[in-house]
Amino acid sequence: MPEIGDKKHVLRQDARGGNPNILSVDIGGTLIKAAVIDQSGALVSEFVTTPTPHPATPDTIIALIIRIAAPLPDFGLISVGFPGVVHRECISTAPNLGTAHWKNFDLEQTLHDTFGAPVRILNDAIVYGLGVAKGPGRECVLTFGTGMGCALFSDGTIFCGLELGQHYARDDQNYDQYVGHAAYLELGLDAWNARAERALQAVHALTNADRIYLGGGNSRRITFALPQWATIVQPSSGVAGGARLWHADMDRWFAPRQPAMAQARERT
């Protein structure tokens, strides 16, 4: 566990009591984004973006979050979007950070112990989608970043997160490899866009979504004409979605695994 460089800041958080503001962190394979937001998802602080350290071990990521949080306004809750499968209280996979480093790591408890604030964690595509999926109908979030993330929503509520990035787009490549950032660097803009357009059409055929929201850092590189059911959304949607993790309608996703933290939220 890394040393806490700003213990005064951490102690202030232990004493914050009913502070309803949220430190929302979007962990990516290339960038980590964070901000303090209010319960509606509006920014209370500046939107901070910093490169993901490599190797991206739990110690280095947590040390970076500590440094990011130190100058930000006080907060009483923490939300995290994580690029992999979050299985109950522990990380199960982290394809673009290194599953060997993260498998079975209890990120939730570690952040709680570090900051003294209740923590909720879900897959990053799900958290991203919570910032934009409002309903009605079926909605899909597709993120083009280091890899490719995907989550489905029904009437604005989580339906499921798909590890579509690990599904094979063709015989020798999964979607992370087919349309991820490394593919963009190798292929160049035009060829990468051809692949991204094929991936978008494939996801639409698979999900039959009424709307697909495109996010992630490489969504800004899209040059092809989007169909009427697809929209590019802002990078800040990932941290804005962190507010939704603490709304009452999300309690059912967390109460079985962190009753103490859910009770702490209810007291705020």
Side-chain angles (χ1 to χ4, degrees):
M1 180 65 215
E3 289 295 322
I4 299 173
D6 185 355
K7 294 184 179 179
K8 180 180 178 182
H9 184 75
V10 175
L11 291 173
R12 280 206 313 272
Q13 293 174 46
D14 286 338
R16 275 197 307 269
N19 189 328
N21 289 337
I22 303 160
L23 173 66
S24 184
V25 183
D26 179 15
I27 299 174
T30 302
L31 296 172
I32 292 179
K33 309 175 190 72
V36 175
I37 57 176
D38 64 19
Q39 292 281 315
S40 72
L43 291 173
V44 174
S45 76
E46 62 182 85
F47 181 67
V48 181
T49 301
T50 188
T52 303
H54 293 284
T57 65
D59 280 1
T60 59
I61 295 294
I62 293 166
L64 179 58
I65 294 172
I66 291 169
R67 292 197 298 274
I68 290 172
L72 296 180
D74 282 349
F75 51 87
L77 302 165
I78 299 173
S79 295
V80 178
F82 187 84
V85 175
V86 180
H87 180 65
R88 299 186 67 83
E89 72 276 6
C90 291
I91 302 302
S92 180
T93 68
N96 295 305
L97 297 179
T99 295
H101 299 310
W102 287 91
K103 188 173 178 61
N104 297 323
F105 182 76
D106 194 341
L107 179 59
E108 177 191 289
Q109 188 63 51
T110 303
L111 288 175
H112 177 267
D113 292 346
T114 299
F115 289 103
V119 181
R120 287 186 169 184
I121 303 172
L122 282 179
N123 172 267
D124 58 343
I126 293 175
V127 178
Y128 202 101
L130 288 170
V132 295
K134 309 297 183 187
R138 296 178 299 276
E139 297 168 292
C140 176
V141 169
L142 194 63
T143 58
F144 294 110
T146 309
M148 191 181 84
C150 185
L152 298 177
F153 299 81
S154 177
D155 294 327
T157 300
I158 300 170
F159 174 56
C160 68
L162 297 176
E163 280 298 289
L164 196 57
Q166 306 312 303
H167 182 72
Y168 275 78
R170 61 187 196 186
D171 288 345
D172 60 339
Q173 289 183 318
N174 62 27
Y175 275 101
D176 275 2
Q177 297 163 332
Y178 183 70
V179 77
H181 189 62
Y184 165 76
L185 294 176
E186 177 184 353
L187 297 170
L189 183 64
D190 291 344
W192 180 85
N193 264 273
R195 286 190 177 186
E197 185 171 15
R198 286 195 292 271
L200 174 60
Q201 293 291 344
V203 170
H204 187 245
L206 174 68
T207 64
N208 196 31
D210 298 308
R211 289 171 300 285
I212 295 183
Y213 304 105
L214 306 175
N218 279 344
S219 63
R220 63 187 173 87
R221 305 184 193 277
I222 290 175
T223 59
F224 59 88
L226 292 176
Q228 62 180 4
W229 39 262
T231 305
I232 296 174
V233 293
Q234 294 298 314
S236 58
S237 299
V239 294
R244 284 283 306 279
L245 294 190
W246 292 99
H247 289 191
D249 65 342
M250 295 295 296
D251 286 351
R252 64 192 179 95
W253 295 95
F254 297 96
R257 55 182 174 179
Q258 52 184 51
M261 292 185 185
Q263 291 168 12
R265 187 198 69 79
E266 291 171 5
R267 291 195 295 268
T268 63

